Amino acid sequence: MSDLTRVADRPERLMGETSEGAQELTRRIDTSTDELGREVGAVLRLDGVTLDPRQVDYERHDDETMIINMGPAHPSTHGVLRLMLELDGEFVLRTKTVIGYLHTGMEKTGETLSYVQGATNVTRMDYLSPVINELSYSMTVEKLLGVEVPERATWIRMLMSELNRVSSHLVWMATNGMDLGSTSMMIYGLRERELILAFFEKTAGLRLNLNYVRPGGVAADLPDGWQDDVEVICNTIDERTYEYDQLLTGQPIFRNRLVGVGSITAEEALALGLTGPLLRSTGVPWDLRRTMPYLAYDQVDFDVIVGTYGDNFDRYAIRLNEIRESIRIVRQCVEKMPKGDYRSQDPKVTPPPRARIGESMEALIHHFKLFTEGFHVPAGEVYSAVESPRGELGCYMVADGGPKPYRLHVRAPSFTNLQAIPLLMRGGSISDAITMISTVDPVLGEVDR
Amino acid sequence: MIPRPPLAPPGVLIEEALACDAAFFAPKEDYVALAGALKADGFEMCVDVCGVDYLEYFDRAVPEGVVPTRFEVVAIFLSLSRRQRVRVRVQAGNDAPRVDTLFHVYPGTEAPERETFDLFGILFDGHPDLTRILMPEDWEGHPLRKDYGVGHVPIQFKEAPGPR
């Protein structure tokens, strides 16, 4: 009968079951100097100067401040992010993120899947930008293989990535709106995203985890009449971004919540390894599509949006304007889409056409081998990166000559960007903490992998 | 250029290595000094730190003078001003792998190093908070090691609390 006693009656057991030990925020006297420095957001280093973080907030004792826990099941933490905050009244002194609640060992799984199956795995990491995940993975495999991707496949990839970027930013607009109390924006953002997901479904057969970009090309050609669909998407979303402007950009309450809140400098952003809108908001014009072009980004015309102050409003404005820039790229893709193959004709990576399988035994065997054993990739190690909506999405791969990657590591932008949270939170109020999480835009599937 | 020329892969000049996507091999004791030299040389950002477990591949291609060990730490640096990437590979050791932390040069390596420790058991000397980051606190073993099985592991999640 002892099992039937209420858990709440045994707090020590409850503590034992939920505690993450040293991963959590502890009292100041139990925290080492370096760790304390991190938790109060000390980032920059100065030669010859040592600043003791214990001198920060020294007038506050441990019994005057309060350590509270936020998440991992908090609706505004964008998933299962858990924050531990040390509060002085309503103001945040120290922050520590506790992550790993969504860890499913995808890098380990990636080592047991063949290169053909791998795209199915990585597409589930950053679930808001699946195409870009697959693209990063496929480009890394192609770099190891030395396979040339046909021009049409390149442009299809670019079209799909940009549509995906728009849909990802729309979800961000929606959730950010909701975090700030604008529930209308929530509905509008998801409504517009639905247009893009419907197009994805028409093209790839799936709405979210597409498995569309694969090593050697893409899974299927664009459907008949795709130009009209894309045209409708572009026109609708382009027009609606101006409605968002009217709804949010100039609205005094919205501006007061964002302008001047959570500023970071370019030096801090670089030191922390931040990429994407977080880095660009500080005025650093770093966008891999422009600075280290991949696919055919050097053949399209678009602007890299940068901010000035590195505050929340800059990050909002950057994402809103990146939607417009992506729409611009999508329009150019429609215009310039070349004819040709949508996947490489290298028989090593591409299965024979469906019609051949019915009539040729060799084609059938080839098809079977490709999907059971997979293709062999020459030994080597390689890193390649693309610009995801959240920053630099890199893929480091070690191949040992077999049909499966020996090591697959994904450099997830959200994982690194989360390190900015203690810095952003420091000194702000607890209500702004929600906005900070939102403008960092972490996708926990990618953080925990 | 980099003040202290590191060991380049066989047959690759340093200029060429910088231009293409090649890796440098740094001796363990010079690793942090090399990172500092890279930072002074315009590599503003350390993009990532990760580990590799070469359990069976002691015969892999490494330049002369480098003794391959089971664990390797790979750090990827990015220069915004030169638009270049550099990868530095460090042989971390066999049984008790450990290297110095980059935290004091690039503060952004804190989380990636913790992840490498969590999943490979590679220790980073001088790291401010070397605890598990992705796995639960009471987890046994380091899952990304090659001798850590897939699918034969008893589920180690905490005991179910029973009816409330």
Side-chain angles (χ1 to χ4, degrees):
Chain A
M1 290 300 282
S2 65
D3 281 355
L4 294 175
T5 9
R6 288 168 51 82
V7 177
D9 295 339
R10 293 164 294 160
E12 71 288 338
R13 185 170 168 190
L14 204 59
M15 286 287 281
E17 279 162 4
T18 56
S19 171
E20 290 297 342
Q23 294 183 36
E24 295 184 351
L25 190 72
T26 48
R27 293 184 304 167
R28 281 177 188 245
I29 46 166
D30 301 331
T31 312
S32 74
T33 319
D34 274 348
E35 194 186 342
L36 196 67
R38 265 203 80 72
E39 288 165 1
V40 299
V43 173
L44 299 180
R45 305 282 180 274
L46 215 60
D47 282 343
V49 178
T50 44
L51 184 72
D52 188 357
R54 285 175 199 287
Q55 299 299 313
V56 177
D57 313 318
Y58 65 92
E59 70 277 12
R60 296 275 169 226
H61 297 290
D62 270 340
D63 52 355
E64 287 177 39
T65 58
M66 177 170 59
I67 291 183
I68 65 152
N69 184 59
M70 188 173 144
H74 193 281
S76 71
T77 52
H78 292 221
V80 284
L81 175 64
R82 176 178 172 196
L83 293 180
M84 293 193 78
L85 308 161
E86 187 189 29
L87 299 180
D88 174 21
E90 210 185 319
F91 294 94
V92 181
L93 298 180
R94 288 192 291 151
T95 319
K96 195 166 178 190
T97 51
V98 184
I99 60 172
Y101 292 95
L102 210 56
H103 179 61
T104 46
M106 286 165 120
E107 290 183 4
K108 184 84 172 171
T109 313
E111 291 170 9
T112 65
L113 299 175
S114 70
Y115 291 99
V116 185
Q117 297 167 322
T120 329
N121 183 34
V122 293
T123 190
R124 277 150 179 80
M125 288 182 179
D126 181 353
Y127 42 76
L128 289 183
S129 56
V131 175
I132 297 171
N133 275 272
E134 295 157 19
L135 178 67
S136 160
Y137 175 84
S138 303
M139 279 174 55
T140 314
V141 176
E142 283 152 12
K143 210 167 169 181
L144 278 167
L145 271 173
V147 169
E148 280 281 310
V149 179
E151 214 186 337
R152 185 174 170 87
T154 306
W155 283 82
I156 294 179
R157 284 174 173 195
M158 209 157 78
L159 173 85
M160 294 294 273
S161 324
E162 289 313 309
L163 285 175
N164 204 172
R165 193 182 312 277
V166 173
S167 85
S168 172
H169 280 337
L170 282 171
V171 173
W172 181 81
M173 297 280 293
T175 49
N176 182 57
M178 190 170 65
D179 288 341
L180 292 168
S182 166
T183 41
S184 315
M185 191 58 232
M186 174 74 191
I187 298 165
Y188 297 155
L190 293 179
R191 178 187 67 186
E192 266 71 277
R193 179 190 182 226
E194 200 63 23
L195 289 170
I196 295 174
L197 293 188
F199 179 70
F200 281 175
E201 189 178 11
K202 201 171 172 184
T203 311
L206 292 165
R207 284 156 55 84
L208 291 175
N209 300 127
L210 304 181
N211 192 16
Y212 181 67
V213 180
R214 298 178 186 181
V218 293
D221 208 347
L222 293 168
D224 290 342
W226 64 274
Q227 288 98 335
D228 300 337
D229 295 339
V230 172
E231 189 63 31
V232 170
I233 292 173
C234 290
N235 291 341
T236 317
I237 292 178
D238 213 13
E239 194 188 313
R240 299 247 166 99
T241 53
Y242 294 96
E243 291 178 13
Y244 305 156
D245 259 346
Q246 287 181 347
L247 181 70
L248 297 177
T249 312
Q251 198 217 21
I253 300 174
F254 187 78
R255 287 186 77 100
N256 284 343
R257 288 295 302 277
L258 294 181
V259 175
V261 178
S263 293
I264 46 171
T265 62
E267 288 78 21
E268 286 164 341
L270 291 173
L272 283 172
L274 310 184
T275 44
L278 237 72
L279 177 61
R280 289 196 286 277
S281 74
T282 63
V284 180
W286 185 258
D287 185 326
L288 292 180
R289 292 177 292 169
R290 168 63 54 84
T291 50
M292 289 178 161
Y294 54 97
L295 295 182
Y297 280 112
D298 46 353
Q299 296 168 40
V300 288
D301 187 27
F302 67 100
D303 290 333
V304 176
I305 313 289
V306 291
T308 315
Y309 304 104
D311 62 353
N312 282 339
F313 188 78
D314 274 355
R315 296 194 272 276
Y316 159 79
I318 284 173
R319 291 199 175 95
L320 177 61
N321 284 302
E322 276 187 7
I323 294 180
R324 293 177 180 143
E325 292 305 319
S326 291
I327 294 288
R328 244 174 99 187
I329 300 177
V330 168
R331 287 214 162 106
Q332 293 172 58
C333 287
V334 175
E335 221 170 87
K336 296 186 182 174
M337 182 66 72
K339 294 207 168 16
D341 289 322
Y342 61 92
R343 57 185 179 184
S344 160
Q345 284 309 305
D346 187 342
K348 196 177 170 189
V349 292
T350 306
R354 184 67 191 86
R356 287 276 299 145
I357 295 173
E359 61 194 31
S360 155
M361 193 62 195
E362 285 70 31
L364 183 66
I365 294 171
H366 181 199
H367 185 274
F368 180 76
K369 284 287 274 182
L370 202 57
F371 282 101
T372 49
E373 192 191 342
F375 49 81
H376 291 246
V377 168
E381 44 109 43
V382 78
Y383 176 86
S384 79
V386 299
E387 183 79 19
S388 102
R390 271 152 282 281
E392 171 171 331
L393 177 71
C395 186
Y396 177 71
M397 197 181 279
V398 181
D400 62 349
K404 293 170 184 169
Y406 187 72
R407 167 95 169 100
L408 168 71
H409 175 74
V410 172
R411 189 265 184 205
S414 307
F415 181 72
T416 318
N417 287 356
L418 264 189
Q419 297 187 96
I421 292 254
L423 172 66
L424 290 169
M425 298 272 192
R426 166 85 190 162
S429 75
I430 182 89
S431 54
D432 285 335
I434 310 295
T435 331
M436 309 298 185
I437 305 170
S438 174
T439 53
V440 170
D441 191 18
V443 170
L444 270 292
E446 172 182 72
V447 172
D448 293 343
R449 301 187 294 286
Chain B
M1 285 322 297
I2 298 168
R4 215 183 146 282
L7 292 166
V12 179
L13 296 171
I14 290 168
E15 285 79 9
E16 285 176 24
L18 278 171
C20 73
D21 183 57
F24 290 127
F25 289 78
K28 200 156 130 182
E29 52 277 8
D30 295 344
Y31 168 52
V32 177
L34 174 66
L38 282 171
K39 188 171 189 181
D41 203 39
F43 286 83
E44 295 97 343
M45 204 187 272
C46 179
V47 175
D48 202 5
V49 176
C50 70
V52 187
D53 177 5
Y54 289 100
L55 180 60
E56 301 135 23
Y57 292 93
F58 284 96
D59 55 345
R60 63 184 183 274
V62 289
E64 214 147 308
V66 176
V67 182
T69 60
R70 179 179 163 189
F71 290 101
E72 214 176 85
V73 171
V74 183
I76 298 153
F77 300 92
L78 176 68
S79 168
L80 276 67
S81 42
R82 298 187 188 180
R83 303 189 179 183
Q84 271 174 350
R85 269 178 219 289
V86 160
R87 208 157 59 239
V88 174
R89 294 168 65 179
V90 189
Q91 309 300 316
N94 292 320
D95 297 326
R98 63 192 311 150
V99 293
D100 289 334
T101 179
L102 287 185
F103 173 74
H104 301 287
V105 186
Y106 293 98
T109 55
E110 195 258 355
E113 283 182 353
R114 258 178 89 187
E115 187 195 321
T116 311
F117 160 73
D118 188 1
L119 302 179
F120 285 96
I122 300 172
L123 296 173
F124 289 88
D125 290 326
H127 190 282
D129 178 26
L130 203 60
T131 49
R132 288 191 178 273
I133 186 166
L134 294 181
M135 306 303 286
E137 188 64 16
D138 52 358
W139 192 268
E140 285 165 22
H142 300 283
L144 276 182
R145 288 192 175 193
K146 283 288 172 184
D147 50 7
Y148 190 97
V150 188
H152 308 289
V153 193
I155 292 172
Q156 289 185 6
F157 284 111
K158 292 154 187 165
E159 181 198 352
R164 301 201 173 218

